[in-house]
Amino acid sequence: MTLYGYFRSSTSYRTRIAMNLKGLDYDYIAVNLAQDEQLEAAFQSINPQGLVPVLQADDLLLYQSPAILEWLEDIYPDTPLLPKDAAGRMQVRALSAMIGCDIHPLNNRRVLQYLRHELSVDEEAVLAWCGRWMKEGFDALEKRLANDKTRGKFCYGNHPTFADCYLIPQVSSARRFKVDLSAYPNIVEIDTHCRTLKAFADADPMVQPDAP
C-alpha cells in the first residue's frame, strides 16, 4: 500500500494513526500542500479533488479519510477500531463526526487560504477564526466525554477507536493555532495518554519524512 499525504494534514495524520494501530506497512509519498503540489497534473490524475490523503492498495485508489478508515476496518478487522455493538459504533462515529465534520473543515488549509488571500484577513483574525470554531466544537466534545462514566483512557471504552484517530490531530492543530485547552481536561487527558502509544507517536507530523 502507498499513502499519499502531507505531514501536517490532519486527515493524513488520522489515517496514519489508524494504519499504525492496525499494524500495517505502507510506503509514503509526500504531497507538499504548502507548494500546491496537490494542484499539479500528476496528483490531480490520482485525486481530481486535489486533497490528501489518498491510499493506493494495488489497483484500488481510496480517498476521503472517513471512507479510508471504514475500508481499513472492513479489510483488516483483527485490530478493531470500532466497538462490536451497534450502539457503540454509533457513538464512536458520532464523536468522530463532531471533529471531522464540525471542527476540522472550518480550519483546513483551503478555508484559511481563502480568508488570507481572497478576503484579506490578517493573521490575528485567522487565529481568532480558528479558535472560535475549535472552542465551540471542543466545548461540546468535552461535555460528551465527561458524561460518559464508562469511558476509560480513550474517547470511548478502553481501547483506541476512530474517535481517537480524529481527536489527536485536532488537538495538535489546536495547539498550533494557540487555542487554550485548559477548559478541556478530558480531551487533554486522552491526548496525553494516546501520545504515549507507539502507533500515535509514529504518526506525529514532526517525525514524518516530509517534516521540516
Side-chain angles (χ1 to χ4, degrees):
M1 290 189 291
T2 299
L3 180 67
Y4 295 81
Y6 181 57
F7 79 102
R8 206 162 57 188
S9 156
S10 294
T11 51
S12 300
Y13 190 176
R14 71 176 68 136
T15 304
R16 294 193 300 264
I17 293 171
M19 296 183 75
N20 290 350
L21 286 168
K22 289 183 175 291
L24 301 175
D25 292 325
Y26 58 90
D27 295 322
Y28 180 72
I29 296 180
V31 181
N32 192 327
L33 303 187
Q35 296 181 8
D36 288 331
E37 289 183 356
Q38 76 280 9
L39 303 179
E40 296 176 2
F43 187 72
Q44 289 277 317
S45 68
I46 296 170
N47 184 7
Q49 197 177 13
L51 299 175
V52 293
V54 173
L55 180 64
Q56 183 169 8
D58 296 323
D59 294 331
L60 182 64
L61 284 174
L62 300 105
Y63 47 93
Q64 289 290 344
S65 60
I68 294 174
L69 264 62
E70 292 283 355
W71 182 85
L72 291 170
E73 188 73 358
D74 288 342
I75 302 300
Y76 303 100
D78 290 345
T79 305
L81 299 179
L82 286 172
K84 293 181 179 180
D85 61 296
R89 292 195 299 273
M90 181 279 296
Q91 291 285 356
V92 167
R93 287 181 171 124
L95 291 170
S96 302
M98 290 176 71
I99 299 165
C101 298
D102 298 328
I103 302 177
H104 170 259
L106 289 164
N107 299 282
N108 71 14
R109 185 175 183 274
R110 291 187 303 168
V111 170
L112 302 188
Q113 292 296 84
Y114 184 80
L115 291 174
R116 290 174 176 128
H117 302 310
E118 300 296 327
L119 300 184
S120 300
V121 173
D122 64 32
E123 204 60 28
E124 183 177 351
V126 169
L127 289 176
W129 168 274
C130 293
R132 165 73 171 79
W133 299 113
M134 288 187 195
K135 288 176 183 176
E136 181 175 294
F138 279 176
D139 284 347
L141 182 61
E142 178 71 17
K143 290 175 183 176
R144 287 280 187 186
L145 296 172
N147 289 336
D148 183 359
K149 304 306 180 185
T150 66
R151 183 178 60 81
K153 293 184 177 181
F154 299 96
C155 287
Y156 183 89
N158 295 295
H159 302 281
T161 66
F162 284 180
D164 304 289
C165 298
Y166 278 73
L167 178 63
I168 274 53
Q170 191 60 61
V171 173
S172 179
S173 181
R175 290 195 172 107
R176 183 160 60 93
F177 288 107
K178 305 183 189 307
V179 175
D180 183 3
L181 298 175
S182 61
Y184 312 114
N186 288 284
I187 289 174
V188 171
E189 181 181 36
I190 293 167
D191 177 71
T192 300
H193 176 67
C194 285
R195 290 178 189 278
T196 67
L197 304 180
K198 180 175 171 56
F200 289 86
D202 287 350
D204 188 271
M206 299 315 296
V207 300
Q208 303 313 305
D210 55 327

Coordinates of all heavy atoms in Angstrom, one line a residue, residues 29-91:
I29 N 4.3 8.7 0.1 CA 4.6 9.7 -0.9 C 4.1 11.1 -0.4 O 2.9 11.2 -0.2 CB 4.0 9.4 -2.2 CG1 4.7 8.1 -2.8 CG2 4.3 10.5 -3.2 CD1 4.2 7.7 -4.1
A30 N 5.0 12.0 -0.1 CA 4.6 13.3 0.4 C 4.1 14.2 -0.8 O 4.6 14.2 -1.9 CB 5.8 14.0 1.0
V31 N 3.0 14.9 -0.5 CA 2.4 15.8 -1.4 C 2.4 17.2 -0.7 O 1.7 17.4 0.3 CB 0.9 15.5 -1.8 CG1 0.3 16.5 -2.7 CG2 0.8 14.1 -2.3
N32 N 3.3 18.1 -1.1 CA 3.6 19.3 -0.4 C 2.5 20.3 -0.7 O 2.4 21.0 -1.7 CB 4.9 19.9 -0.9 CG 5.4 21.0 0.1 OD1 4.6 21.7 0.6 ND2 6.7 21.1 0.2
L33 N 1.6 20.4 0.3 CA 0.4 21.3 0.2 C 0.9 22.8 0.2 O 0.3 23.7 -0.4 CB -0.6 21.1 1.3 CG -1.2 19.7 1.4 CD1 -2.3 19.7 2.5 CD2 -1.7 19.2 0.1
A34 N 2.0 23.0 0.9 CA 2.5 24.4 1.0 C 3.0 24.9 -0.3 O 3.0 26.1 -0.6 CB 3.6 24.5 2.0
Q35 N 3.4 24.0 -1.2 CA 3.8 24.3 -2.6 C 2.8 24.0 -3.6 O 3.1 24.0 -4.8 CB 5.1 23.7 -2.9 CG 6.3 24.1 -2.0 CD 7.6 23.4 -2.3 OE1 7.7 22.7 -3.3 NE2 8.6 23.7 -1.4
D36 N 1.6 23.7 -3.2 CA 0.4 23.4 -4.1 C 0.7 22.2 -5.0 O 0.1 22.2 -6.1 CB 0.1 24.7 -4.9 CG -0.6 25.7 -4.0 OD1 -1.3 25.4 -3.0 OD2 -0.5 26.9 -4.3
E37 N 1.4 21.3 -4.5 CA 1.6 20.1 -5.4 C 0.3 19.3 -5.6 O 0.2 18.6 -6.6 CB 2.7 19.2 -4.7 CG 4.1 19.7 -4.8 CD 5.1 18.8 -4.2 OE1 4.7 17.7 -3.7 OE2 6.3 19.1 -4.3
Q38 N -0.6 19.5 -4.7 CA -1.9 18.8 -4.9 C -2.7 19.3 -6.1 O -3.6 18.7 -6.5 CB -2.8 18.9 -3.6 CG -3.4 20.3 -3.4 CD -2.4 21.3 -2.8 OE1 -1.3 21.1 -2.7 NE2 -3.0 22.5 -2.4
L39 N -2.3 20.5 -6.6 CA -2.9 21.1 -7.8 C -2.3 20.7 -9.1 O -2.8 21.1 -10.2 CB -3.0 22.6 -7.6 CG -3.7 23.1 -6.3 CD1 -3.7 24.7 -6.3 CD2 -5.1 22.6 -6.2
E40 N -1.1 20.1 -9.0 CA -0.4 19.7 -10.2 C -1.0 18.5 -10.9 O -1.7 17.7 -10.3 CB 1.1 19.4 -9.9 CG 1.8 20.7 -9.3 CD 3.2 20.4 -8.9 OE1 3.7 19.2 -9.1 OE2 3.9 21.3 -8.4
A41 N -0.8 18.4 -12.2 CA -1.5 17.4 -13.0 C -1.2 16.0 -12.5 O -2.0 15.1 -12.5 CB -1.0 17.5 -14.5
A42 N 0.1 15.7 -12.0 CA 0.4 14.4 -11.5 C -0.5 13.9 -10.4 O -0.9 12.8 -10.4 CB 1.9 14.4 -11.1
F43 N -0.7 14.8 -9.4 CA -1.6 14.4 -8.3 C -3.1 14.5 -8.7 O -3.9 13.7 -8.2 CB -1.3 15.2 -7.1 CG -2.1 14.7 -5.9 CD1 -1.7 13.6 -5.3 CD2 -3.2 15.4 -5.4 CE1 -2.4 13.1 -4.2 CE2 -3.9 15.0 -4.3 CZ -3.5 13.8 -3.7
Q44 N -3.4 15.4 -9.5 CA -4.8 15.5 -10.0 C -5.3 14.3 -10.7 O -6.4 13.9 -10.7 CB -5.0 16.8 -10.9 CG -4.9 18.1 -10.1 CD -6.2 18.5 -9.5 OE1 -7.2 18.4 -10.0 NE2 -6.1 19.0 -8.2
S45 N -4.3 13.6 -11.4 CA -4.7 12.4 -12.0 C -5.0 11.3 -11.0 O -5.7 10.3 -11.4 CB -3.5 11.9 -13.0 OG -2.4 11.5 -12.2
I46 N -4.5 11.4 -9.8 CA -4.8 10.4 -8.8 C -6.0 10.8 -8.0 O -6.9 10.0 -7.7 CB -3.6 10.4 -7.8 CG1 -2.3 9.8 -8.5 CG2 -3.9 9.5 -6.6 CD1 -1.0 10.0 -7.7
N47 N -6.2 12.1 -7.7 CA -7.3 12.6 -7.0 C -7.7 14.0 -7.6 O -7.1 15.0 -7.2 CB -7.1 12.7 -5.5 CG -8.4 13.1 -4.7 OD1 -9.5 13.2 -5.3 ND2 -8.3 13.4 -3.5
P48 N -8.7 14.0 -8.5 CA -9.1 15.3 -9.1 C -9.6 16.3 -8.1 O -9.6 17.5 -8.4 CB -10.2 14.9 -10.0 CG -10.0 13.4 -10.3 CD -9.4 12.9 -9.0
Q49 N -9.9 15.9 -6.9 CA -10.3 16.8 -5.8 C -9.2 17.6 -5.3 O -9.3 18.6 -4.7 CB -11.1 16.1 -4.7 CG -11.9 17.1 -3.9 CD -12.7 16.3 -2.8 OE1 -12.6 15.1 -2.5 NE2 -13.7 17.0 -2.2
G50 N -8.0 17.0 -5.5 CA -6.7 17.7 -5.0 C -6.6 17.7 -3.5 O -6.1 18.7 -3.0
L51 N -7.0 16.6 -2.9 CA -6.9 16.5 -1.4 C -6.2 15.3 -1.0 O -6.2 14.3 -1.7 CB -8.3 16.5 -0.8 CG -9.3 17.7 -1.1 CD1 -10.7 17.4 -0.5 CD2 -8.7 19.0 -0.4
V52 N -5.5 15.4 0.1 CA -4.9 14.2 0.8 C -5.7 13.9 2.0 O -6.4 14.8 2.5 CB -3.4 14.5 1.1 CG1 -2.6 14.7 -0.1 CG2 -3.3 15.8 2.0
P53 N -5.6 12.6 2.4 CA -4.8 11.5 1.9 C -5.5 10.8 0.8 O -6.7 10.9 0.6 CB -4.7 10.6 3.1 CG -6.0 10.8 3.8 CD -6.4 12.2 3.7
V54 N -4.6 10.1 0.1 CA -5.1 9.1 -0.9 C -4.3 7.8 -0.5 O -3.1 7.8 -0.3 CB -4.8 9.5 -2.3 CG1 -5.2 8.3 -3.3 CG2 -5.7 10.7 -2.7
L55 N -5.0 6.7 -0.5 CA -4.4 5.4 -0.2 C -4.5 4.5 -1.4 O -5.6 4.3 -1.9 CB -5.1 4.7 1.0 CG -4.5 3.4 1.4 CD1 -3.0 3.5 1.9 CD2 -5.3 2.7 2.5
Q56 N -3.4 4.1 -1.9 CA -3.4 3.1 -3.0 C -3.1 1.7 -2.5 O -2.1 1.5 -1.9 CB -2.4 3.5 -4.1 CG -2.4 2.7 -5.3 CD -1.6 3.2 -6.5 OE1 -0.8 4.2 -6.3 NE2 -1.7 2.6 -7.6
A57 N -4.1 0.8 -2.8 CA -3.9 -0.6 -2.4 C -4.1 -1.4 -3.7 O -5.2 -1.6 -4.2 CB -5.0 -1.0 -1.4
D58 N -2.9 -1.8 -4.2 CA -2.9 -2.5 -5.5 C -3.5 -1.5 -6.5 O -3.0 -0.4 -6.7 CB -3.6 -3.8 -5.5 CG -2.9 -4.8 -4.5 OD1 -1.6 -4.8 -4.5 OD2 -3.6 -5.6 -3.8
D59 N -4.5 -1.9 -7.2 CA -5.1 -1.1 -8.3 C -6.3 -0.2 -7.7 O -6.9 0.5 -8.5 CB -5.7 -1.9 -9.4 CG -4.6 -2.6 -10.2 OD1 -3.4 -2.1 -10.2 OD2 -4.8 -3.7 -10.7
L60 N -6.5 -0.3 -6.4 CA -7.6 0.5 -5.8 C -7.1 1.8 -5.2 O -6.1 1.8 -4.5 CB -8.2 -0.3 -4.7 CG -9.4 0.2 -4.0 CD1 -10.6 0.4 -4.9 CD2 -9.8 -0.7 -2.8
L61 N -7.7 2.9 -5.6 CA -7.4 4.2 -5.0 C -8.5 4.6 -4.1 O -9.7 4.7 -4.5 CB -7.3 5.3 -6.1 CG -6.0 5.2 -7.0 CD1 -6.1 6.2 -8.1 CD2 -4.8 5.6 -6.1
L62 N -8.2 4.9 -2.8 CA -9.1 5.3 -1.8 C -8.9 6.7 -1.4 O -7.7 7.1 -1.3 CB -9.0 4.4 -0.6 CG -9.3 2.9 -0.8 CD1 -8.0 2.1 -0.8 CD2 -10.2 2.3 0.2
Y63 N -9.9 7.5 -1.3 CA -9.8 8.9 -0.9 C -10.9 9.2 0.1 O -11.8 8.5 0.3 CB -9.9 9.8 -2.1 CG -11.1 9.4 -3.1 CD1 -12.3 10.1 -2.9 CD2 -11.0 8.5 -4.0 CE1 -13.4 9.8 -3.7 CE2 -12.0 8.1 -4.8 CZ -13.2 8.8 -4.7 OH -14.3 8.4 -5.5
Q64 N -10.7 10.4 0.7 CA -11.6 10.8 1.9 C -11.3 9.9 3.1 O -11.6 8.8 3.1 CB -13.1 10.8 1.5 CG -13.5 11.9 0.6 CD -13.4 13.3 1.2 OE1 -13.3 13.5 2.4 NE2 -13.4 14.4 0.3
S65 N -10.7 10.5 4.1 CA -10.2 9.8 5.3 C -11.3 9.0 6.0 O -11.0 7.9 6.4 CB -9.4 10.7 6.2 OG -10.3 11.7 6.7
P66 N -12.5 9.5 6.1 CA -13.6 8.7 6.8 C -13.8 7.4 6.0 O -14.0 6.3 6.6 CB -14.8 9.6 6.8 CG -14.3 10.9 6.7 CD -13.1 10.8 5.8
A67 N -13.8 7.4 4.7 CA -14.0 6.2 3.9 C -12.8 5.3 3.9 O -13.0 4.1 4.0 CB -14.3 6.6 2.4
I68 N -11.6 5.9 4.0 CA -10.4 5.1 4.1 C -10.4 4.3 5.4 O -10.1 3.1 5.5 CB -9.2 5.9 4.0 CG1 -9.0 6.5 2.6 CG2 -7.9 5.1 4.3 CD1 -7.9 7.5 2.4
L69 N -10.8 5.0 6.5 CA -10.8 4.3 7.8 C -11.8 3.2 7.8 O -11.6 2.1 8.4 CB -11.1 5.3 8.9 CG -9.8 5.9 9.7 CD1 -8.9 6.6 8.7 CD2 -10.2 6.7 10.8
E70 N -13.0 3.4 7.2 CA -14.0 2.4 7.2 C -13.5 1.2 6.3 O -13.8 0.0 6.7 CB -15.3 2.9 6.6 CG -16.0 4.0 7.4 CD -16.8 3.4 8.6 OE1 -16.9 2.1 8.7 OE2 -17.3 4.1 9.4
W71 N -12.8 1.5 5.2 CA -12.3 0.4 4.4 C -11.2 -0.4 5.2 O -11.2 -1.6 5.1 CB -11.7 1.0 3.1 CG -11.1 0.0 2.2 CD1 -11.8 -0.7 1.2 CD2 -9.7 -0.4 2.1 NE1 -10.9 -1.5 0.5 CE2 -9.6 -1.4 1.1 CE3 -8.6 -0.1 2.8 CZ2 -8.5 -2.0 0.7 CZ3 -7.4 -0.7 2.5 CH2 -7.3 -1.7 1.4
L72 N -10.4 0.3 5.9 CA -9.4 -0.4 6.7 C -10.0 -1.3 7.7 O -9.6 -2.4 8.0 CB -8.5 0.6 7.4 CG -7.5 1.4 6.5 CD1 -6.9 2.6 7.3 CD2 -6.4 0.5 5.9
E73 N -11.1 -0.8 8.3 CA -11.8 -1.6 9.3 C -12.4 -2.9 8.7 O -12.4 -3.9 9.3 CB -12.9 -0.7 10.0 CG -13.6 -1.4 11.2 CD -12.7 -1.4 12.4 OE1 -11.5 -1.0 12.4 OE2 -13.2 -1.9 13.5
D74 N -12.9 -2.7 7.5 CA -13.5 -3.9 6.8 C -12.5 -4.9 6.4 O -12.7 -6.1 6.5 CB -14.3 -3.4 5.6 CG -15.6 -2.7 5.9 OD1 -16.1 -2.9 7.1 OD2 -16.1 -2.0 5.1
I75 N -11.4 -4.4 5.9 CA -10.4 -5.3 5.3 C -9.4 -5.9 6.3 O -8.9 -7.0 6.2 CB -9.6 -4.6 4.2 CG1 -10.5 -4.0 3.1 CG2 -8.5 -5.4 3.5 CD1 -11.3 -5.1 2.4
Y76 N -9.2 -5.1 7.4 CA -8.2 -5.5 8.4 C -8.9 -5.5 9.8 O -8.7 -4.6 10.6 CB -7.0 -4.6 8.4 CG -6.3 -4.6 7.1 CD1 -6.4 -3.6 6.2 CD2 -5.4 -5.6 6.7 CE1 -5.8 -3.5 5.0 CE2 -4.7 -5.6 5.5 CZ -4.9 -4.6 4.6 OH -4.3 -4.6 3.4
P77 N -9.8 -6.4 10.0 CA -10.7 -6.4 11.2 C -10.0 -6.9 12.5 O -10.6 -6.8 13.6 CB -11.8 -7.3 10.9 CG -11.2 -8.3 9.9 CD -10.2 -7.6 9.1
D78 N -8.8 -7.5 12.4 CA -8.2 -8.1 13.5 C -7.9 -7.2 14.7 O -7.9 -7.6 15.9 CB -6.9 -8.9 13.1 CG -7.2 -10.1 12.3 OD1 -8.4 -10.5 12.2 OD2 -6.3 -10.6 11.6
T79 N -7.6 -5.9 14.4 CA -7.4 -4.9 15.4 C -8.5 -3.9 15.2 O -8.3 -2.9 14.5 CB -6.0 -4.2 15.3 OG1 -5.0 -5.2 15.3 CG2 -5.8 -3.3 16.5
P80 N -9.7 -4.1 15.8 CA -10.8 -3.3 15.5 C -10.7 -1.9 16.1 O -10.2 -1.7 17.2 CB -12.0 -4.0 16.2 CG -11.4 -4.9 17.2 CD -10.0 -5.2 16.7
L81 N -11.2 -0.9 15.3 CA -11.2 0.5 15.8 C -12.6 1.0 16.0 O -12.9 2.2 16.1 CB -10.4 1.4 14.8 CG -9.0 1.0 14.6 CD1 -8.3 2.0 13.6 CD2 -8.2 1.1 16.0
L82 N -13.6 0.0 15.9 CA -15.0 0.3 16.2 C -15.5 -0.8 17.2 O -15.0 -1.9 17.1 CB -15.8 0.2 14.9 CG -15.7 1.4 13.9 CD1 -16.5 1.0 12.6 CD2 -16.3 2.7 14.5
P83 N -16.3 -0.4 18.1 CA -16.9 -1.4 19.0 C -17.7 -2.5 18.3 O -18.1 -2.3 17.1 CB -17.8 -0.6 19.9 CG -17.3 0.8 19.8 CD -16.8 0.9 18.4
K84 N -18.0 -3.6 18.9 CA -18.7 -4.7 18.3 C -20.2 -4.4 18.2 O -20.9 -4.8 17.3 CB -18.5 -6.0 19.1 CG -17.1 -6.5 19.0 CD -17.0 -7.8 19.8 CE -15.6 -8.4 19.7 NZ -15.4 -9.7 20.5
D85 N -20.7 -3.6 19.2 CA -22.2 -3.4 19.2 C -22.6 -2.2 18.4 O -21.8 -1.2 18.3 CB -22.7 -3.2 20.7 CG -22.0 -2.0 21.4 OD1 -20.8 -2.0 21.6 OD2 -22.7 -1.1 21.7
A86 N -23.8 -2.2 17.9 CA -24.3 -1.1 17.0 C -24.3 0.2 17.7 O -23.9 1.3 17.2 CB -25.6 -1.4 16.5
A87 N -24.7 0.2 19.0 CA -24.8 1.5 19.8 C -23.4 2.1 20.0 O -23.2 3.3 19.9 CB -25.5 1.3 21.1
G88 N -22.4 1.2 20.3 CA -21.1 1.7 20.4 C -20.5 2.2 19.2 O -19.8 3.2 19.2
R89 N -20.7 1.5 18.1 CA -20.2 2.0 16.8 C -20.8 3.4 16.4 O -20.2 4.3 15.9 CB -20.5 1.0 15.7 CG -19.8 -0.3 15.8 CD -19.8 -1.1 14.5 NE -21.1 -1.5 14.1 CZ -21.8 -2.6 14.5 NH1 -21.1 -3.4 15.4 NH2 -23.0 -2.9 14.1
M90 N -22.1 3.5 16.8 CA -22.8 4.8 16.5 C -22.1 5.9 17.3 O -21.8 7.0 16.8 CB -24.2 4.7 16.9 CG -25.1 6.0 16.7 SD -24.9 7.3 18.0 CE -25.6 6.4 19.4
Q91 N -21.8 5.6 18.6 CA -21.2 6.6 19.5 C -19.8 7.0 18.9 O -19.5 8.2 18.9 CB -21.0 6.1 20.9 CG -22.4 5.9 21.6 CD -22.9 7.2 22.1 OE1 -22.3 8.3 22.0 NE2 -24.1 7.1 22.7

